[in-house]
Amino acid sequence: MNNSNQTWYRDWVFWMVTGMILIISVLHYSTTLTEAVFHDIYRRLYYIPIIIAAFRYQLVGGVGASVIISLIYLPHLISHWGISPEQGLNKLLELVLYNVVGILSGVLVTNQEKERQRYEDTANQLDQSLQELQAQSKRLIEMEENLRVADRLAVLGELTASLAHEVRNPLGSITGSAKLLANDELEPEEKEEVAEILMKEAERMNQVVENYLSAARTEPKSRQKFQLNEVLTSVQRLLAEKTRKRNITFSMRLPNQPVNLTMDRNHLYQILINLLLNAIDAMPEGGTISLSATTNSGKLQLIVEDQGKGIPQEEVANVWNTFYTTKQEGTGLGLPIVKRIVEEYEGQISLESELDKGTKVTIIMPQE
């Protein structure tokens, strides 16, 4: 029962229905029995408060109004029965119809209200589900970003050893140059030459550190315009010591003309470093890693191919699943995050592999 039913005595509809019943009943009893036409009209008017009560108070209202009207109308029916049994029977049927209409109207309105309530509950549940899905989506995005950070840190950890080697060379040159500058026997021209070497080596060391830091930055995606060769050269330097120790050589095939890209430079670092580290780890006995880049119709195609252990054909589909890895100390984050980055730029990535023959990863991305 709704609130309007619980406080029916305060409702204006209740008083309107009550007033209509009283007015129609007064008209009935104040009109002589010979005025049959008026009595027929008054009988029909009783349906109005019955239907109004049913719409307002559902089954309770419809039945209640019809029963009250029946009780009020019953003395009038009995008085007519003595005059004309035929008219009395007709009015008895009318009285039965009051109750039938009251019941049917009440049932229909009650069912309609139940359906309305059901739809309203469903709408509320859908709204609640939508809010929960939005909250879950937000949490998934946050988790994805955390995974990216974890992946970048994992990559940095793997590159720490080669960073030490990269820094040692320019640092040795800087130390030697500083010792020479401390020697008062050098001519001004020689000092100038040594100072120039010192500056170049310092700049080279700064560039090495900057390249490593680029792989760990966590700023939101920002698009910059740069050349592909710049990033490839930096990545090759980063991995030079690791490839040297593994007896691995790079084979790069690039377009003759400079390839300009507009994207987050750090994202391209992350893509290439992950793919090349996977290729290096797949070739413990050495070999060649091929990296080619071609452009066509405003799109860049990057292919990284190794001669490593490969992946069983039945396992290839799993490489995009988070935490799936074929490496003993792998995290299973690299390829899923690479795929997510590529798709953020509306690109495509695919992987082909054959056991004991190698793996080929192809990326197609818009240049602008």
Side-chain angles (χ1 to χ4, degrees):
M1 185 178 292
N2 55 33
N3 291 335
S4 61
N5 284 339
Q6 293 173 355
T7 58
W8 54 269
Y9 54 88
R10 299 177 186 171
D11 196 341
W12 66 273
V13 176
F14 169 77
W15 296 110
M16 181 182 71
V17 170
T18 302
M20 293 177 67
I21 294 173
L22 289 175
I23 292 171
I24 296 170
S25 300
V26 168
L27 291 173
H28 257 303
Y29 284 99
S30 62
T31 303
T32 60
L33 297 179
T34 57
E35 303 289 344
V37 175
F38 289 104
H39 284 287
D40 287 341
I41 295 173
Y42 301 150
R43 287 205 315 271
R44 304 302 186 272
L45 290 176
Y46 273 133
Y47 288 108
I48 297 175
I50 292 173
I51 293 173
I52 292 175
F55 270 91
R56 180 60 176 174
Y57 306 112
Q58 302 175 27
L59 183 60
V60 173
V63 173
S66 62
V67 169
I68 292 171
I69 289 171
S70 299
L71 294 174
I72 294 173
Y73 189 67
L74 189 59
H76 185 76
L77 169 63
I78 295 172
S79 64
H80 266 231
W81 195 282
I83 300 172
S84 173
E86 184 179 345
Q87 285 292 326
L89 181 60
N90 186 31
K91 292 175 181 179
L92 178 62
L93 292 174
E94 192 88 46
L95 189 137
V96 173
L97 282 176
Y98 291 155
N99 292 276
V100 171
V101 169
I103 293 171
L104 290 178
S105 300
V107 169
L108 289 174
V109 174
T110 300
N111 290 339
Q112 184 182 23
E113 178 62 23
K114 287 181 179 177
E115 285 296 308
R116 187 196 66 78
Q117 188 63 45
R118 187 169 66 85
Y119 289 137
E120 187 176 319
D121 292 342
T122 303
N124 291 334
Q125 290 174 2
L126 289 174
D127 184 61
Q128 184 177 355
S129 299
L130 177 61
Q131 292 177 3
E132 290 175 355
L133 285 174
Q134 289 174 340
Q136 290 175 2
S137 176
K138 186 177 179 181
R139 287 196 293 271
L140 286 174
I141 292 173
E142 291 174 354
M143 290 174 62
E144 176 69 22
E145 186 57 32
N146 291 336
L147 287 177
R148 286 190 184 185
V149 175
D151 181 68
R152 279 191 283 265
L153 293 176
V155 169
L156 284 180
E158 196 166 347
L159 294 175
T160 300
S162 59
L163 172 62
H165 177 82
E166 290 287 333
V167 171
R168 186 181 298 118
N169 289 336
L171 188 60
S173 298
I174 290 171
T175 303
S177 299
K179 289 180 179 179
L180 288 173
L181 286 175
N183 189 348
D184 294 334
E185 297 178 359
L186 289 178
E187 297 295 330
E189 294 81 5
E190 293 176 324
K191 286 186 177 181
E192 185 177 344
E193 183 178 347
V194 171
E196 186 176 349
I197 293 173
L198 184 65
M199 292 176 62
K200 285 183 178 178
E201 290 301 313
E203 177 61 29
R204 184 159 75 95
M205 188 168 65
N206 180 68
Q207 185 62 46
V208 169
V209 175
E210 177 62 26
N211 288 342
Y212 277 83
L213 291 176
S214 295
R217 286 177 184 146
T218 60
E219 294 91 347
K221 182 175 70 175
S222 59
R223 295 176 181 263
Q224 311 106 27
K225 193 167 186 178
F226 59 92
Q227 288 190 2
L228 174 65
N229 289 12
E230 297 173 2
V231 176
L232 291 177
T233 302
S234 297
V235 171
Q236 189 176 16
R237 286 175 181 170
L238 285 174
L239 301 174
E241 177 63 13
K242 197 173 184 67
T243 54
R244 185 188 65 79
K245 289 182 177 179
R246 295 285 186 91
N247 195 27
I248 294 173
T249 57
F250 272 121
S251 172
M252 287 201 295
R253 297 188 300 276
L254 305 176
N256 295 328
Q257 299 297 325
V259 178
N260 293 317
L261 295 175
T262 303
M263 62 181 295
D264 188 333
R265 184 194 298 258
N266 296 324
H267 281 174
L268 185 58
Y269 270 113
Q270 194 172 3
I271 290 172
L272 291 171
I273 287 176
N274 273 294
L275 294 181
L276 292 174
L277 281 177
N278 283 347
I280 291 170
D281 290 340
M283 296 191 297
E285 299 177 0
T288 300
I289 296 175
S290 300
L291 195 155
S292 64
T294 56
T295 58
N296 185 23
S297 302
K299 291 188 176 182
L300 169 69
Q301 178 177 273
L302 280 173
I303 298 177
V304 177
E305 192 169 4
D306 64 56
Q307 300 173 337
K309 296 178 289 186
I311 304 171
Q313 194 62 39
E314 63 273 12
E315 301 289 330
V316 170
N318 297 326
V319 299
W320 309 116
N321 297 334
T322 306
F323 303 125
Y324 173 83
T325 180
T326 57
K327 295 188 288 187
Q328 196 170 26
E329 298 180 357
T331 62
L333 298 174
L335 285 177
I337 290 179
V338 167
K339 184 174 186 290
R340 178 63 181 269
I341 294 173
V342 170
E343 289 177 349
E344 278 188 7
Y345 291 95
E346 299 181 356
Q348 298 174 339
I349 184 170
S350 60
L351 183 145
E352 303 171 33
S353 189
E354 192 172 346
L355 201 61
D356 298 325
K357 289 191 176 181
T359 301
K360 175 182 176 182
V361 179
T362 303
I363 295 174
I364 300 175
M365 295 176 64
Q367 285 185 253
E368 295 293 337

